[in-house]
Amino acid sequence: MRIQDRACVIVHRHITTAYPPGASLPSTKQLALALALPQKHVHQGLLRLDSLGEIALHGSLPVRLRTREPYPRDRALHGAVRDRIRANHYQPGQALPTGLLGEEFGLLPHHVQRALRFLTSEGTLRFDERGAHGPGHYVPVALAEAVS
């Protein structure tokens, strides 16, 4: 395992054990000092946790997100996808246009994936590795029928 990967594991373990959900986290510099790690490795660990939706790197200090709490910048995308499913803009079995959603909401591809993982975890979408249009996030048939 690379040094940077080990550092990411250390950062993750420290944050999940030392800070309760909803807590503000110390600065990257303070975490680096506390963990005796290079600041650049701590920063990479924080970026990875941010992309996974475990922390939010917005504002002045990062925050540990609560279980099942959406990432703050993803809320507009969540609402739009839900509304579009209800309005039948996205049909049952249809793959979501992730690239277009990223452009529309000003999100990078890994941020779109984070948002869609959240919607998948709550059952709004399903991820299908062998979907009709390739691997991707699809509107589940059961959900579309329940929303109608």
Side-chain angles (χ1 to χ4, degrees):
M1 184 183 279
R2 296 180 326 166
I3 292 172
Q4 184 175 346
D5 292 335
R6 280 196 302 262
C8 287
V9 169
I10 292 168
V11 169
H12 181 264
R13 187 177 306 126
H14 177 71
I15 287 174
T16 56
T17 57
Y19 300 95
S24 293
L25 304 176
S27 69
T28 304
K29 184 177 182 177
Q30 291 169 324
L31 278 171
L33 289 171
L35 298 172
L37 293 170
Q39 194 169 335
K40 67 180 183 178
H41 293 330
V42 171
H43 180 69
Q44 287 300 315
L46 292 174
L47 287 175
R48 187 172 295 169
L49 291 174
D50 180 79
S51 71
L52 293 172
E54 293 190 29
I55 66 170
L57 292 176
H58 70 287
S60 57
L61 291 176
V63 175
R64 180 163 177 222
L65 295 175
R66 293 174 177 86
T67 303
R68 311 259 319 130
E69 178 182 6
Y71 193 89
R73 284 189 224 138
D74 299 347
R75 288 186 178 128
L77 184 136
H78 294 162
V81 168
R82 287 184 193 107
D83 291 345
R84 291 171 188 178
I85 290 171
R86 283 187 200 104
N88 291 320
H89 180 76
Y90 297 140
Q91 298 295 312
Q94 179 181 354
L96 263 66
T98 56
L100 293 174
L101 287 169
E103 287 179 27
E104 180 181 346
F105 290 93
L107 297 172
L108 297 171
H110 64 279
H111 294 150
V112 172
Q113 292 303 314
R114 174 190 62 216
L116 297 181
R117 273 194 311 271
F118 180 83
L119 290 170
T120 300
S121 73
E122 70 175 21
T124 302
L125 299 174
R126 68 177 173 81
F127 183 80
D128 191 345
E129 190 71 39
R130 296 189 180 121
H133 304 284
H137 292 86
Y138 290 81
V139 178
V141 174
L143 177 69
E145 290 172 352
V147 170
S148 298

